[in-house]
Amino acid sequence: MSGGLRLRGLRKSYGDLQVLRGVDLDVEPGEVVCVIGPSGSGKSTLLRCANHLEPLDAGFVQVDDVLVGYEPRDGRLHESSERDIARARLRMGMVFQQFNLFSHLTALRNITLGPTRVLRRDPTEVEREARDLLARVGLAGHADKLPAQLSGGQQQRVAIARALAMKPAVLLFDEPTSALDPELVGEVLAVMRGLAEQGMTMVVVTHEIGFAADVADTVVFMDDGVVVESGPAERVLRYPESERTAGFLAHVR
Ligand code: ADP
Ligand code: MG
């Protein structure tokens, strides 16, 4: 059972630019959190720091029973070991805007690579699970195709299956439909909705306000490196408390 995800006091700067200025976020097991906000507000950086694709300047990340980052102990801040960071990262799956599939590997091999190489699991069992996952994302007949032979929507569904194959506690999505032609957005959102209904814990950065309204338990509005407001999806989207949230929603709808 997943212990969810806890982000505390995350700070990140690039040079003089403070991109995250102390972000806290709690995601309970089975919860779907949608993160919305203007371009440049730090949403991608938040996911990348949560997943340790970028090193933090301060704060910590707890996923399941693994806590990494800067932990106060004996009156000092202690940075986690690479080993703990690797353990935390294994508990999170990431789905990117640009799919990031390996272009020289088939859909099936894209999915089996992590479980066989990183987790060193039995290839036969991994392949069976990968075929089940392909069926689950509606791509049962496409196992042997290369990414270039698939549409963007199909590639993104392979990317979701690849993330699921690692059996993560939490899935992080960074604008998973932003690179897709409009007619392909629905098929990806439908897969994500299915995962949410099956109890997957998810953090979804998205401009799809309709998806957030339908699927999210919690909506978080970020601006300028901070969480401006967060709460139940309907409350935040229909009755925003902050003028900044209201202004953003008026602009995107
Ligand atoms: P969002 O995903 O909300 O659009 P980002 O997290 O991508 O925002 O970026 C937030 C800010 O940080 C932007 O001003 C962006 O230019 C800057 N930024 C992001 N990544 C880097 C980087 N690797 N180096 C320098 N600046 C960066
Ligand atoms: Mg972004």
Side-chain angles (χ1 to χ4, degrees):
M1 183 64 189
S2 156
L5 176 69
R6 234 155 293 284
L7 310 180
R8 281 290 177 276
L10 298 197
R11 292 185 173 274
K12 177 72 183 176
S13 295
Y14 295 108
D16 290 340
L17 182 67
Q18 291 189 8
V19 177
L20 300 180
R21 299 188 293 134
V23 174
D24 297 336
L25 183 67
D26 281 316
V27 187
E28 301 304 326
E31 189 179 5
V32 178
V33 175
C34 281
V35 180
I36 61 173
S39 181
S41 56
K43 305 181 299 297
S44 294
T45 304
L46 179 67
L47 293 191
R48 294 173 63 79
C49 284
N51 204 10
H52 305 283
L53 295 171
E54 292 280 350
L56 293 169
D57 295 339
F60 66 82
V61 176
Q62 184 176 357
V63 55
D64 267 355
D65 56 339
V66 190
L67 189 149
V68 289
Y70 291 87
E71 189 185 0
R73 215 179 324 123
D74 316 324
R76 288 177 46 214
L77 291 175
H78 293 260
E79 193 177 2
S80 305
S81 64
E82 285 297 322
R83 196 171 146 270
D84 281 345
I85 289 174
R87 283 175 65 215
R89 190 181 282 145
L90 277 177
R91 286 166 163 75
M92 288 179 258
M94 183 97 171
V95 176
F96 301 90
Q97 188 173 338
Q98 297 294 344
F99 330 136
N100 296 9
L101 296 176
F102 295 106
S103 60
H104 62 294
L105 296 180
T106 63
L108 187 73
R109 292 298 162 222
N110 264 282
I111 298 170
T112 58
L113 189 68
T116 53
R117 293 282 173 82
V118 180
L119 303 180
R120 305 199 170 284
R121 294 185 47 216
D122 170 48
T124 310
E125 189 182 296
V126 167
E127 179 165 331
R128 180 157 36 77
E129 286 180 11
R131 290 186 187 280
D132 287 347
L133 284 168
L134 277 170
R136 199 166 152 196
V137 298
L139 294 173
H142 300 269
D144 298 324
K145 292 196 179 156
L146 292 169
Q149 297 171 301
L150 298 169
S151 73
Q154 290 171 329
Q155 289 185 58
Q156 192 59 300
R157 287 185 280 145
V158 173
I160 293 171
R162 177 177 63 175
L164 288 170
M166 298 296 282
K167 303 184 198 287
V170 185
L171 274 184
L172 310 176
F173 295 82
D174 192 1
E175 300 199 27
T177 60
S178 294
L180 298 176
D181 292 333
E183 72 272 20
L184 303 178
V185 168
E187 64 193 55
V188 172
L189 293 181
V191 166
M192 292 168 63
R193 181 192 303 265
L195 295 177
E197 283 165 1
Q198 289 155 29
M200 190 73 212
T201 310
M202 301 173 21
V203 181
V204 184
V205 172
T206 187
H207 291 297
E208 299 285 342
I209 302 297
F211 176 82
D214 284 351
V215 179
D217 300 297
T218 299
V219 169
V220 172
F221 174 67
M222 268 186 83
D223 196 7
D224 202 15
V226 295
V227 171
V228 173
E229 97 173 80
S230 73
E234 175 166 309
R235 209 277 297 145
V236 173
L237 294 174
R238 291 184 59 177
Y239 309 104
E241 283 169 359
S242 159
E243 277 179 28
R244 282 152 85 185
T245 315
F248 173 79
L249 289 170
H251 185 71
V252 295
R253 275 206 269 247

